[in-house]
Amino acid sequence: MKGTVYKSTGSWYTVKSQQGEFYQCRIKGKFRIGGIKSTNPVAVGDHVVFDVETKGDETIGVIHTIETRDNYIIRKSVNLSKQTHIIATNIDVAFLLITLNNPTTFTAFIDRFLVTAEAYHVKAVLLFNKIDLYNEEELLEIKYLAALYRKIGYECIGISAKTGKNIHKVKDLMQDKVTLFSGHSGTGKSTLVNAIEPGLNLKTAEISEQHQQGQHTTTFAEMHDLSFGGQIIDTPGIRGFGVVEIDKEELGNYFPEFFERKQDCKFNNCLHINEPNCAIKEALENSEIAWSRYKSYLQILEGEDDGYRKDVYKKD
């Protein structure tokens, strides 16, 4: 039988068959080896082939094949330098929820997410949430950030999950697609999903006053069917986003504004640091490229990932 993985708890997988029935499945032991360095060999969104076994009153599925993935979002595993964690696969659109405060989403985090989306061929859209809570000065900062990323080519939408502002724009982008919602804990993912599809009734939590961070309400990625067509993958709040090994020479290709200028660099293998006649450094000096983006590029290039790999499941 063929199906799609809707939920993964590490050892059990909920799979929806092409006939629309759900099965609790395990994987054959051989998936745990065979060169897969991921902590989760099977991820939400995977298209799989499985057999069904009935033992007594229980019907269990056994996954034996993972079909070729169109794409995926991946990050470095917590405390496991050589391993990775696949957040979800076969995604049409990945939405990143961004909040200015309570909690703060820094540009370094946004850029790491976008680099990963570019590297693995996932369309990314930035959602600036909680705009009903910002004062004039904060709204100006949001507008500045949105303008920065729009100029690069990313779609940016200012939304309020609580008041419903621009939720219809998000729904339009989601229709008949597989979409992923990601972001720090407390950015309002579950509230937004409930605003889009109230019937799902996902658990939400208040921001922790002590840490100004969200209480984790989602502990595993899970796919849900949408009444207006398509599926949504709700993910645990991510405190950190370690970029998985990308060759230094390739990294600039995943910054679209670098990529479009790199042919003008004097050297083909220019890393845009100290090389002469570098088109990227020139664009930076002329304010055509944002310094925050260049700083993110340098941090990823130099492997400064420690601050972006905190425990995704740790409770506040």
Side-chain angles (χ1 to χ4, degrees), residues 1-5 15-18 27 31 36 41-50 63-72 86 88-91:
M1 295 176 75
K2 289 189 174 186
T4 301
V5 177
V15 176
K16 185 181 183 182
S17 73
Q18 289 180 334
I27 58 175
F31 277 127
I36 298 175
V42 178
V44 171
D46 270 335
H47 302 308
V48 297
V49 183
F50 65 103
I63 297 168
H64 58 79
T65 307
I66 305 170
E67 298 192 334
T68 306
R69 294 163 172 156
D70 291 335
N71 57 32
Y72 46 91
I86 297 168
T89 70
N90 301 316
I91 306 151

Side-chain angles (χ1 to χ4, degrees), residues 143-159:
K143 283 179 180 172
Y144 167 79
L145 274 177
L148 188 162
Y149 287 104
R150 278 195 192 108
K151 186 181 173 188
I152 296 164
Y154 293 106
E155 187 162 359
C156 300
I157 307 173
I159 63 164

Side-chain angles (χ1 to χ4, degrees), residues 186-308:
T187 51
K189 291 187 304 301
S190 298
T191 305
L192 176 59
V193 175
N194 288 337
I196 288 163
E197 189 71 280
L200 291 177
N201 201 23
L202 297 188
K203 195 176 155 201
T204 60
E206 294 303 311
I207 296 289
S208 153
E209 286 296 325
Q210 188 183 352
H211 300 296
Q212 292 294 296
Q213 289 176 322
Q215 308 289 329
H216 289 283
T217 53
T218 309
T219 52
F220 299 102
E222 185 170 3
M223 185 185 279
H224 304 275
D225 289 321
L226 297 168
S227 60
F228 52 90
Q231 288 82 28
I232 182 172
I233 301 171
D234 187 31
T235 63
I238 298 173
R239 290 226 184 102
F241 206 97
V243 174
V244 173
E245 280 71 17
I246 290 172
D247 289 342
K248 288 190 173 188
E249 291 74 21
E250 283 181 17
L251 179 60
N253 296 347
Y254 307 127
F255 285 76
E257 69 274 43
F258 289 23
F259 183 68
E260 67 180 34
R261 292 174 171 89
K262 75 171 202 172
Q263 75 274 9
D264 298 326
C265 290
K266 182 177 180 180
F267 300 109
N268 287 337
N269 59 349
C270 185
L271 288 179
H272 323 306
I273 304 173
N274 301 315
E275 299 89 343
N277 300 332
C278 168
I280 277 71
K281 293 292 290 285
E282 217 170 278
L284 196 61
E285 295 297 341
N286 295 334
S287 302
E288 292 163 17
I289 286 177
W291 280 96
S292 62
R293 292 279 287 169
Y294 184 66
K295 188 180 172 188
S296 292
Y297 169 78
L298 290 182
Q299 283 180 341
I300 298 169
L301 197 67
E302 289 156 16
E304 290 180 25
D305 267 346
D306 287 349
Y308 302 92

